[in-house]
Amino acid sequence: MDDGKESLWRNVEVGDKLKDYKVKCWKSDDDKHRYKLKIGLINSNPTKEILVIMINPSIADQNKPDPTCKALINLCDFNQYNSITICNLFSLIEPKMEKFNEFVKTNTANDGLSNNKLKECIKEFDKVICAWGAGAKLKDRNTYNNRILEIHESLGDKELIKFGGEDE
């Protein structure tokens, strides 16, 4: 994957502490799609990494976190992960689900590079959190379910990590 843009997130509230993160973001040339967001705790060795796959990106990039990223940082920190890479089933940056549904309906929630970029990223990791949820607000359940099945096949023998809840 080509070089992304890099920056720092300073003073991110993690539990009762403020921590600094080095962040790298890979986007399309028109900034409409985000393929990958890597968040690493500064001065942290050894690195314990994990890939998190969610539905679609909101506003987080190398310059600013969003509420979902902040919650994810806290969850991963609690579970001793200090490097998080976020990818998505759909690469379109759209924080409003109503608008996002229109892009899914017109088959434009991914661009021509999205699928390969996600599959390249999956290959880099042994442990993955599938955090795409139930997609309750997605209107096109068929497209959503087909995308999950496609990506699930790409996960192969990766270890799928579960935080919280009881084992079933």
Side-chain angles (χ1 to χ4, degrees), residues 87-131:
C87 291
N88 297 276
L89 295 174
F90 303 97
S91 63
L92 180 75
I93 299 168
E94 179 51 67
K96 298 192 184 316
M97 194 53 69
E98 306 82 40
K99 290 175 89 175
F100 179 71
N101 275 314
E102 292 303 314
F103 290 100
V104 172
K105 183 178 176 182
T106 59
N107 202 27
T108 55
N110 279 322
D111 66 9
L113 300 174
S114 301
N115 205 41
N116 287 339
K117 299 275 188 188
L118 176 54
K119 288 180 179 181
E120 284 174 22
C121 194
I122 288 170
K123 288 177 186 176
E124 297 174 25
F125 292 86
D126 296 322
K127 296 181 179 185
V128 180
I129 298 174
C130 300

mmCIF file of all heavy atoms in Angstrom, residues 87-131:
data_model
loop_
_atom_site.group_PDB
_atom_site.id
_atom_site.type_symbol
_atom_site.label_atom_id
_atom_site.label_comp_id
_atom_site.label_asym_id
_atom_site.label_seq_id
_atom_site.Cartn_x
_atom_site.Cartn_y
_atom_site.Cartn_z
ATOM 1 N N CYS A 87 -9.800 -0.730 9.131
ATOM 2 C CA CYS A 87 -10.262 -0.791 7.747
ATOM 3 C C CYS A 87 -11.774 -0.948 7.797
ATOM 4 O O CYS A 87 -12.337 -1.108 8.876
ATOM 5 C CB CYS A 87 -9.626 -1.968 7.007
ATOM 6 S SG CYS A 87 -7.862 -1.789 6.716
ATOM 7 N N ASN A 88 -12.410 -0.912 6.647
ATOM 8 C CA ASN A 88 -13.877 -0.948 6.625
ATOM 9 C C ASN A 88 -14.405 -1.811 5.497
ATOM 10 O O ASN A 88 -13.750 -1.964 4.462
ATOM 11 C CB ASN A 88 -14.418 0.480 6.465
ATOM 12 C CG ASN A 88 -14.044 1.360 7.625
ATOM 13 O OD1 ASN A 88 -14.708 1.364 8.642
ATOM 14 N ND2 ASN A 88 -12.955 2.091 7.492
ATOM 15 N N LEU A 89 -15.610 -2.343 5.704
ATOM 16 C CA LEU A 89 -16.283 -3.084 4.632
ATOM 17 C C LEU A 89 -16.491 -2.186 3.421
ATOM 18 O O LEU A 89 -16.358 -2.618 2.280
ATOM 19 C CB LEU A 89 -17.651 -3.591 5.108
ATOM 20 C CG LEU A 89 -17.673 -4.630 6.225
ATOM 21 C CD1 LEU A 89 -19.109 -4.899 6.665
ATOM 22 C CD2 LEU A 89 -16.996 -5.914 5.776
ATOM 23 N N PHE A 90 -16.836 -0.936 3.695
ATOM 24 C CA PHE A 90 -17.056 0.072 2.655
ATOM 25 C C PHE A 90 -16.136 1.249 2.953
ATOM 26 O O PHE A 90 -16.072 1.722 4.084
ATOM 27 C CB PHE A 90 -18.519 0.532 2.649
ATOM 28 C CG PHE A 90 -19.496 -0.599 2.460
ATOM 29 C CD1 PHE A 90 -20.124 -1.188 3.549
ATOM 30 C CD2 PHE A 90 -19.772 -1.093 1.200
ATOM 31 C CE1 PHE A 90 -21.015 -2.237 3.395
ATOM 32 C CE2 PHE A 90 -20.667 -2.150 1.018
ATOM 33 C CZ PHE A 90 -21.288 -2.717 2.125
ATOM 34 N N SER A 91 -15.425 1.737 1.963
ATOM 35 C CA SER A 91 -14.389 2.757 2.188
ATOM 36 C C SER A 91 -14.894 4.200 2.143
ATOM 37 O O SER A 91 -14.169 5.117 2.507
ATOM 38 C CB SER A 91 -13.264 2.587 1.168
ATOM 39 O OG SER A 91 -13.739 2.784 -0.146
ATOM 40 N N LEU A 92 -16.130 4.421 1.718
ATOM 41 C CA LEU A 92 -16.657 5.784 1.599
ATOM 42 C C LEU A 92 -16.713 6.474 2.960
ATOM 43 O O LEU A 92 -17.246 5.922 3.926
ATOM 44 C CB LEU A 92 -18.060 5.777 0.989
ATOM 45 C CG LEU A 92 -18.685 7.157 0.826
ATOM 46 C CD1 LEU A 92 -18.053 7.888 -0.357
ATOM 47 C CD2 LEU A 92 -20.182 7.047 0.647
ATOM 48 N N ILE A 93 -16.157 7.680 3.028
ATOM 49 C CA ILE A 93 -16.195 8.475 4.258
ATOM 50 C C ILE A 93 -17.540 9.188 4.312
ATOM 51 O O ILE A 93 -17.800 10.114 3.529
ATOM 52 C CB ILE A 93 -15.041 9.502 4.284
ATOM 53 C CG1 ILE A 93 -13.696 8.774 4.228
ATOM 54 C CG2 ILE A 93 -15.145 10.397 5.523
ATOM 55 C CD1 ILE A 93 -12.514 9.674 3.957
ATOM 56 N N GLU A 94 -18.405 8.729 5.213
ATOM 57 C CA GLU A 94 -19.734 9.331 5.345
ATOM 58 C C GLU A 94 -20.267 9.058 6.747
ATOM 59 O O GLU A 94 -20.664 7.929 7.061
ATOM 60 C CB GLU A 94 -20.686 8.770 4.291
ATOM 61 C CG GLU A 94 -22.095 9.327 4.370
ATOM 62 C CD GLU A 94 -22.143 10.845 4.417
ATOM 63 O OE1 GLU A 94 -21.789 11.490 3.419
ATOM 64 O OE2 GLU A 94 -22.535 11.405 5.472
ATOM 65 N N PRO A 95 -20.286 10.087 7.599
ATOM 66 C CA PRO A 95 -20.733 9.880 8.978
ATOM 67 C C PRO A 95 -22.249 9.719 9.138
ATOM 68 O O PRO A 95 -22.705 9.188 10.145
ATOM 69 C CB PRO A 95 -20.247 11.134 9.703
ATOM 70 C CG PRO A 95 -20.100 12.165 8.634
ATOM 71 C CD PRO A 95 -19.758 11.422 7.378
ATOM 72 N N LYS A 96 -23.031 10.146 8.166
ATOM 73 C CA LYS A 96 -24.490 10.069 8.281
ATOM 74 C C LYS A 96 -25.005 8.821 7.555
ATOM 75 O O LYS A 96 -24.878 8.704 6.344
ATOM 76 C CB LYS A 96 -25.140 11.317 7.723
ATOM 77 C CG LYS A 96 -24.747 12.574 8.478
ATOM 78 C CD LYS A 96 -25.625 13.728 8.091
ATOM 79 C CE LYS A 96 -25.236 15.030 8.735
ATOM 80 N NZ LYS A 96 -24.916 15.030 10.103
ATOM 81 N N MET A 97 -25.602 7.909 8.313
ATOM 82 C CA MET A 97 -26.041 6.631 7.753
ATOM 83 C C MET A 97 -27.115 6.817 6.677
ATOM 84 O O MET A 97 -27.162 6.057 5.712
ATOM 85 C CB MET A 97 -26.544 5.723 8.871
ATOM 86 C CG MET A 97 -26.702 4.276 8.452
ATOM 87 S SD MET A 97 -25.249 3.504 7.683
ATOM 88 C CE MET A 97 -24.123 3.391 9.040
ATOM 89 N N GLU A 98 -27.959 7.845 6.803
ATOM 90 C CA GLU A 98 -28.990 8.080 5.786
ATOM 91 C C GLU A 98 -28.339 8.342 4.422
ATOM 92 O O GLU A 98 -28.777 7.804 3.410
ATOM 93 C CB GLU A 98 -29.883 9.282 6.158
ATOM 94 C CG GLU A 98 -30.517 9.221 7.528
ATOM 95 C CD GLU A 98 -29.564 9.674 8.643
ATOM 96 O OE1 GLU A 98 -28.806 10.650 8.471
ATOM 97 O OE2 GLU A 98 -29.569 9.014 9.694
ATOM 98 N N LYS A 99 -27.318 9.179 4.410
ATOM 99 C CA LYS A 99 -26.608 9.472 3.170
ATOM 100 C C LYS A 99 -25.808 8.259 2.691
ATOM 101 O O LYS A 99 -25.756 7.971 1.498
ATOM 102 C CB LYS A 99 -25.689 10.686 3.349
ATOM 103 C CG LYS A 99 -26.434 12.002 3.501
ATOM 104 C CD LYS A 99 -25.487 13.138 3.787
ATOM 105 C CE LYS A 99 -25.002 13.743 2.493
ATOM 106 N NZ LYS A 99 -24.166 14.951 2.730
ATOM 107 N N PHE A 100 -25.194 7.557 3.639
ATOM 108 C CA PHE A 100 -24.405 6.383 3.291
ATOM 109 C C PHE A 100 -25.270 5.344 2.576
ATOM 110 O O PHE A 100 -24.846 4.713 1.605
ATOM 111 C CB PHE A 100 -23.766 5.783 4.549
ATOM 112 C CG PHE A 100 -22.952 4.558 4.276
ATOM 113 C CD1 PHE A 100 -21.743 4.646 3.606
ATOM 114 C CD2 PHE A 100 -23.405 3.311 4.668
ATOM 115 C CE1 PHE A 100 -20.989 3.518 3.333
ATOM 116 C CE2 PHE A 100 -22.656 2.177 4.404
ATOM 117 C CZ PHE A 100 -21.452 2.280 3.735
ATOM 118 N N ASN A 101 -26.519 5.167 3.034
ATOM 119 C CA ASN A 101 -27.437 4.224 2.396
ATOM 120 C C ASN A 101 -27.624 4.513 0.909
ATOM 121 O O ASN A 101 -27.760 3.586 0.108
ATOM 122 C CB ASN A 101 -28.795 4.231 3.107
ATOM 123 C CG ASN A 101 -28.807 3.311 4.307
ATOM 124 O OD1 ASN A 101 -28.347 2.185 4.242
ATOM 125 N ND2 ASN A 101 -29.327 3.805 5.415
ATOM 126 N N GLU A 102 -27.635 5.779 0.542
ATOM 127 C CA GLU A 102 -27.791 6.141 -0.873
ATOM 128 C C GLU A 102 -26.589 5.670 -1.693
ATOM 129 O O GLU A 102 -26.738 5.210 -2.820
ATOM 130 C CB GLU A 102 -27.989 7.655 -1.029
ATOM 131 C CG GLU A 102 -29.309 8.145 -0.459
ATOM 132 C CD GLU A 102 -30.514 7.448 -1.086
ATOM 133 O OE1 GLU A 102 -30.559 7.311 -2.327
ATOM 134 O OE2 GLU A 102 -31.392 7.008 -0.316
ATOM 135 N N PHE A 103 -25.395 5.762 -1.126
ATOM 136 C CA PHE A 103 -24.192 5.300 -1.824
ATOM 137 C C PHE A 103 -24.182 3.777 -1.948
ATOM 138 O O PHE A 103 -23.766 3.242 -2.978
ATOM 139 C CB PHE A 103 -22.926 5.795 -1.120
ATOM 140 C CG PHE A 103 -22.704 7.268 -1.256
ATOM 141 C CD1 PHE A 103 -23.047 8.132 -0.230
ATOM 142 C CD2 PHE A 103 -22.158 7.792 -2.416
ATOM 143 C CE1 PHE A 103 -22.841 9.492 -0.349
ATOM 144 C CE2 PHE A 103 -21.951 9.156 -2.555
ATOM 145 C CZ PHE A 103 -22.292 10.015 -1.519
ATOM 146 N N VAL A 104 -24.663 3.093 -0.919
ATOM 147 C CA VAL A 104 -24.752 1.633 -0.985
ATOM 148 C C VAL A 104 -25.744 1.242 -2.077
ATOM 149 O O VAL A 104 -25.484 0.349 -2.885
ATOM 150 C CB VAL A 104 -25.161 1.033 0.385
ATOM 151 C CG1 VAL A 104 -25.454 -0.460 0.272
ATOM 152 C CG2 VAL A 104 -24.067 1.273 1.415
ATOM 153 N N LYS A 105 -26.872 1.949 -2.110
ATOM 154 C CA LYS A 105 -27.930 1.672 -3.096
ATOM 155 C C LYS A 105 -27.418 1.836 -4.531
ATOM 156 O O LYS A 105 -27.769 1.056 -5.414
ATOM 157 C CB LYS A 105 -29.108 2.624 -2.841
ATOM 158 C CG LYS A 105 -30.298 2.415 -3.717
ATOM 159 C CD LYS A 105 -31.405 3.388 -3.342
ATOM 160 C CE LYS A 105 -32.584 3.280 -4.255
ATOM 161 N NZ LYS A 105 -33.625 4.260 -3.903
ATOM 162 N N THR A 106 -26.550 2.825 -4.752
ATOM 163 C CA THR A 106 -26.029 3.082 -6.103
ATOM 164 C C THR A 106 -24.686 2.383 -6.347
ATOM 165 O O THR A 106 -24.019 2.652 -7.344
ATOM 166 C CB THR A 106 -25.865 4.598 -6.348
ATOM 167 O OG1 THR A 106 -24.955 5.137 -5.374
ATOM 168 C CG2 THR A 106 -27.203 5.313 -6.277
ATOM 169 N N ASN A 107 -24.304 1.507 -5.412
ATOM 170 C CA ASN A 107 -23.066 0.724 -5.532
ATOM 171 C C ASN A 107 -21.814 1.603 -5.647
ATOM 172 O O ASN A 107 -20.886 1.285 -6.380
ATOM 173 C CB ASN A 107 -23.153 -0.246 -6.721
ATOM 174 C CG ASN A 107 -22.194 -1.397 -6.571
ATOM 175 O OD1 ASN A 107 -21.835 -1.783 -5.463
ATOM 176 N ND2 ASN A 107 -21.770 -1.946 -7.690
ATOM 177 N N THR A 108 -21.800 2.727 -4.908
ATOM 178 C CA THR A 108 -20.647 3.625 -4.931
ATOM 179 C C THR A 108 -20.024 3.803 -3.534
ATOM 180 O O THR A 108 -19.231 4.719 -3.332
ATOM 181 C CB THR A 108 -21.030 5.006 -5.510
ATOM 182 O OG1 THR A 108 -22.138 5.535 -4.770
ATOM 183 C CG2 THR A 108 -21.403 4.904 -6.988
ATOM 184 N N ALA A 109 -20.365 2.928 -2.598
ATOM 185 C CA ALA A 109 -19.793 3.009 -1.247
ATOM 186 C C ALA A 109 -18.349 2.508 -1.227
ATOM 187 O O ALA A 109 -17.626 2.742 -0.275
ATOM 188 C CB ALA A 109 -20.649 2.234 -0.257
ATOM 189 N N ASN A 110 -17.936 1.806 -2.273
ATOM 190 C CA ASN A 110 -16.546 1.408 -2.472
ATOM 191 C C ASN A 110 -16.112 1.930 -3.838
ATOM 192 O O ASN A 110 -16.926 2.006 -4.754
ATOM 193 C CB ASN A 110 -16.374 -0.119 -2.436
ATOM 194 C CG ASN A 110 -16.309 -0.654 -1.024
ATOM 195 O OD1 ASN A 110 -15.720 -0.036 -0.157
ATOM 196 N ND2 ASN A 110 -16.905 -1.812 -0.798
ATOM 197 N N ASP A 111 -14.836 2.291 -3.958
ATOM 198 C CA ASP A 111 -14.317 2.676 -5.262
ATOM 199 C C ASP A 111 -13.555 1.495 -5.855
ATOM 200 O O ASP A 111 -13.550 0.399 -5.287
ATOM 201 C CB ASP A 111 -13.461 3.948 -5.185
ATOM 202 C CG ASP A 111 -12.178 3.783 -4.395
ATOM 203 O OD1 ASP A 111 -11.833 2.643 -4.026
ATOM 204 O OD2 ASP A 111 -11.514 4.802 -4.153
ATOM 205 N N GLY A 112 -12.908 1.702 -6.976
ATOM 206 C CA GLY A 112 -12.213 0.626 -7.661
ATOM 207 C C GLY A 112 -11.034 0.029 -6.902
ATOM 208 O O GLY A 112 -10.580 -1.067 -7.223
ATOM 209 N N LEU A 113 -10.540 0.728 -5.890
ATOM 210 C CA LEU A 113 -9.380 0.249 -5.124
ATOM 211 C C LEU A 113 -9.750 -0.391 -3.786
ATOM 212 O O LEU A 113 -8.941 -1.103 -3.195
ATOM 213 C CB LEU A 113 -8.429 1.425 -4.855
ATOM 214 C CG LEU A 113 -7.857 2.140 -6.069
ATOM 215 C CD1 LEU A 113 -7.062 3.361 -5.638
ATOM 216 C CD2 LEU A 113 -6.986 1.188 -6.867
ATOM 217 N N SER A 114 -10.948 -0.142 -3.310
ATOM 218 C CA SER A 114 -11.353 -0.521 -1.952
ATOM 219 C C SER A 114 -11.130 -1.987 -1.632
ATOM 220 O O SER A 114 -10.559 -2.335 -0.596
ATOM 221 C CB SER A 114 -12.829 -0.192 -1.718
ATOM 222 O OG SER A 114 -13.057 1.176 -1.913
ATOM 223 N N ASN A 115 -11.618 -2.853 -2.480
ATOM 224 C CA ASN A 115 -11.566 -4.283 -2.194
ATOM 225 C C ASN A 115 -10.131 -4.779 -2.064
ATOM 226 O O ASN A 115 -9.794 -5.471 -1.111
ATOM 227 C CB ASN A 115 -12.310 -5.056 -3.281
ATOM 228 C CG ASN A 115 -12.810 -6.378 -2.784
ATOM 229 O OD1 ASN A 115 -13.309 -6.472 -1.668
ATOM 230 N ND2 ASN A 115 -12.688 -7.398 -3.607
ATOM 231 N N ASN A 116 -9.274 -4.426 -3.017
ATOM 232 C CA ASN A 116 -7.879 -4.868 -2.959
ATOM 233 C C ASN A 116 -7.147 -4.285 -1.767
ATOM 234 O O ASN A 116 -6.334 -4.959 -1.137
ATOM 235 C CB ASN A 116 -7.145 -4.537 -4.259
ATOM 236 C CG ASN A 116 -7.575 -5.451 -5.384
ATOM 237 O OD1 ASN A 116 -8.089 -6.540 -5.159
ATOM 238 N ND2 ASN A 116 -7.364 -5.012 -6.614
ATOM 239 N N LYS A 117 -7.409 -3.023 -1.439
ATOM 240 C CA LYS A 117 -6.748 -2.393 -0.294
ATOM 241 C C LYS A 117 -7.125 -3.102 1.009
ATOM 242 O O LYS A 117 -6.260 -3.340 1.855
ATOM 243 C CB LYS A 117 -7.115 -0.914 -0.195
ATOM 244 C CG LYS A 117 -6.713 -0.075 -1.392
ATOM 245 C CD LYS A 117 -5.313 0.397 -1.290
ATOM 246 C CE LYS A 117 -4.992 1.404 -2.391
ATOM 247 N NZ LYS A 117 -3.604 1.739 -2.444
ATOM 248 N N LEU A 118 -8.403 -3.458 1.165
ATOM 249 C CA LEU A 118 -8.836 -4.159 2.370
ATOM 250 C C LEU A 118 -8.198 -5.546 2.439
ATOM 251 O O LEU A 118 -7.672 -5.947 3.480
ATOM 252 C CB LEU A 118 -10.358 -4.271 2.423
ATOM 253 C CG LEU A 118 -10.944 -5.064 3.594
ATOM 254 C CD1 LEU A 118 -10.452 -4.560 4.937
ATOM 255 C CD2 LEU A 118 -12.465 -5.031 3.531
ATOM 256 N N LYS A 119 -8.198 -6.260 1.341
ATOM 257 C CA LYS A 119 -7.615 -7.606 1.334
ATOM 258 C C LYS A 119 -6.103 -7.570 1.585
ATOM 259 O O LYS A 119 -5.569 -8.438 2.279
ATOM 260 C CB LYS A 119 -7.956 -8.314 0.031
ATOM 261 C CG LYS A 119 -9.423 -8.712 -0.021
ATOM 262 C CD LYS A 119 -9.795 -9.411 -1.303
ATOM 263 C CE LYS A 119 -11.264 -9.795 -1.276
ATOM 264 N NZ LYS A 119 -11.673 -10.494 -2.484
ATOM 265 N N GLU A 120 -5.409 -6.551 1.066
ATOM 266 C CA GLU A 120 -3.973 -6.375 1.353
ATOM 267 C C GLU A 120 -3.758 -6.173 2.850
ATOM 268 O O GLU A 120 -2.842 -6.735 3.448
ATOM 269 C CB GLU A 120 -3.410 -5.152 0.621
ATOM 270 C CG GLU A 120 -3.174 -5.326 -0.849
ATOM 271 C CD GLU A 120 -2.758 -4.009 -1.507
ATOM 272 O OE1 GLU A 120 -2.261 -3.093 -0.803
ATOM 273 O OE2 GLU A 120 -2.930 -3.886 -2.724
ATOM 274 N N CYS A 121 -4.602 -5.372 3.438
ATOM 275 C CA CYS A 121 -4.487 -5.067 4.863
ATOM 276 C C CYS A 121 -4.739 -6.322 5.704
ATOM 277 O O CYS A 121 -4.017 -6.588 6.663
ATOM 278 C CB CYS A 121 -5.459 -3.954 5.229
ATOM 279 S SG CYS A 121 -5.122 -3.230 6.829
ATOM 280 N N ILE A 122 -5.736 -7.098 5.344
ATOM 281 C CA ILE A 122 -6.055 -8.323 6.083
ATOM 282 C C ILE A 122 -4.841 -9.252 6.114
ATOM 283 O O ILE A 122 -4.544 -9.865 7.142
ATOM 284 C CB ILE A 122 -7.287 -9.026 5.471
ATOM 285 C CG1 ILE A 122 -8.555 -8.219 5.782
ATOM 286 C CG2 ILE A 122 -7.414 -10.459 5.984
ATOM 287 C CD1 ILE A 122 -9.798 -8.684 5.042
ATOM 288 N N LYS A 123 -4.107 -9.324 5.025
ATOM 289 C CA LYS A 123 -2.937 -10.213 4.943
ATOM 290 C C LYS A 123 -1.849 -9.846 5.949
ATOM 291 O O LYS A 123 -1.057 -10.693 6.350
ATOM 292 C CB LYS A 123 -2.338 -10.186 3.531
ATOM 293 C CG LYS A 123 -3.186 -10.884 2.502
ATOM 294 C CD LYS A 123 -2.557 -10.752 1.128
ATOM 295 C CE LYS A 123 -3.466 -11.329 0.062
ATOM 296 N NZ LYS A 123 -2.925 -11.128 -1.287
ATOM 297 N N GLU A 124 -1.802 -8.581 6.378
ATOM 298 C CA GLU A 124 -0.760 -8.097 7.285
ATOM 299 C C GLU A 124 -0.969 -8.532 8.742
ATOM 300 O O GLU A 124 -0.071 -8.367 9.559
ATOM 301 C CB GLU A 124 -0.701 -6.563 7.253
ATOM 302 C CG GLU A 124 -0.339 -5.964 5.924
ATOM 303 C CD GLU A 124 -0.442 -4.439 5.942
ATOM 304 O OE1 GLU A 124 -0.324 -3.831 7.029
ATOM 305 O OE2 GLU A 124 -0.659 -3.869 4.865
ATOM 306 N N PHE A 125 -2.142 -9.059 9.085
ATOM 307 C CA PHE A 125 -2.485 -9.309 10.489
ATOM 308 C C PHE A 125 -2.847 -10.754 10.757
ATOM 309 O O PHE A 125 -3.390 -11.447 9.896
ATOM 310 C CB PHE A 125 -3.658 -8.410 10.911
ATOM 311 C CG PHE A 125 -3.292 -6.965 10.970
ATOM 312 C CD1 PHE A 125 -3.355 -6.176 9.839
ATOM 313 C CD2 PHE A 125 -2.842 -6.406 12.158
ATOM 314 C CE1 PHE A 125 -2.977 -4.840 9.881
ATOM 315 C CE2 PHE A 125 -2.472 -5.078 12.211
ATOM 316 C CZ PHE A 125 -2.532 -4.296 11.071
ATOM 317 N N ASP A 126 -2.553 -11.182 11.994
ATOM 318 C CA ASP A 126 -2.961 -12.506 12.455
ATOM 319 C C ASP A 126 -4.244 -12.434 13.279
ATOM 320 O O ASP A 126 -4.998 -13.386 13.340
ATOM 321 C CB ASP A 126 -1.860 -13.127 13.329
ATOM 322 C CG ASP A 126 -0.586 -13.378 12.538
ATOM 323 O OD1 ASP A 126 -0.683 -13.765 11.363
ATOM 324 O OD2 ASP A 126 0.505 -13.158 13.092
ATOM 325 N N LYS A 127 -4.468 -11.264 13.929
ATOM 326 C CA LYS A 127 -5.627 -11.094 14.806
ATOM 327 C C LYS A 127 -6.517 -9.981 14.275
ATOM 328 O O LYS A 127 -6.037 -8.903 13.930
ATOM 329 C CB LYS A 127 -5.185 -10.769 16.229
ATOM 330 C CG LYS A 127 -4.402 -11.894 16.867
ATOM 331 C CD LYS A 127 -3.998 -11.567 18.281
ATOM 332 C CE LYS A 127 -3.246 -12.755 18.869
ATOM 333 N NZ LYS A 127 -2.939 -12.544 20.280
ATOM 334 N N VAL A 128 -7.827 -10.260 14.249
ATOM 335 C CA VAL A 128 -8.792 -9.329 13.665
ATOM 336 C C VAL A 128 -10.021 -9.227 14.554
ATOM 337 O O VAL A 128 -10.506 -10.240 15.077
ATOM 338 C CB VAL A 128 -9.234 -9.815 12.255
ATOM 339 C CG1 VAL A 128 -10.244 -8.857 11.634
ATOM 340 C CG2 VAL A 128 -8.031 -10.001 11.334
ATOM 341 N N ILE A 129 -10.506 -7.998 14.718
ATOM 342 C CA ILE A 129 -11.809 -7.764 15.343
ATOM 343 C C ILE A 129 -12.766 -7.385 14.219
ATOM 344 O O ILE A 129 -12.526 -6.423 13.483
ATOM 345 C CB ILE A 129 -11.762 -6.613 16.364
ATOM 346 C CG1 ILE A 129 -10.816 -6.941 17.509
ATOM 347 C CG2 ILE A 129 -13.168 -6.317 16.899
ATOM 348 C CD1 ILE A 129 -10.618 -5.788 18.483
ATOM 349 N N CYS A 130 -13.834 -8.147 14.078
ATOM 350 C CA CYS A 130 -14.886 -7.817 13.111
ATOM 351 C C CYS A 130 -15.921 -6.982 13.856
ATOM 352 O O CYS A 130 -16.757 -7.503 14.583
ATOM 353 C CB CYS A 130 -15.505 -9.083 12.543
ATOM 354 S SG CYS A 130 -14.327 -10.138 11.682
ATOM 355 N N ALA A 131 -15.828 -5.674 13.677
ATOM 356 C CA ALA A 131 -16.665 -4.740 14.443
ATOM 357 C C ALA A 131 -17.658 -4.024 13.540
ATOM 358 O O ALA A 131 -17.939 -2.855 13.715
ATOM 359 C CB ALA A 131 -15.762 -3.728 15.166
#
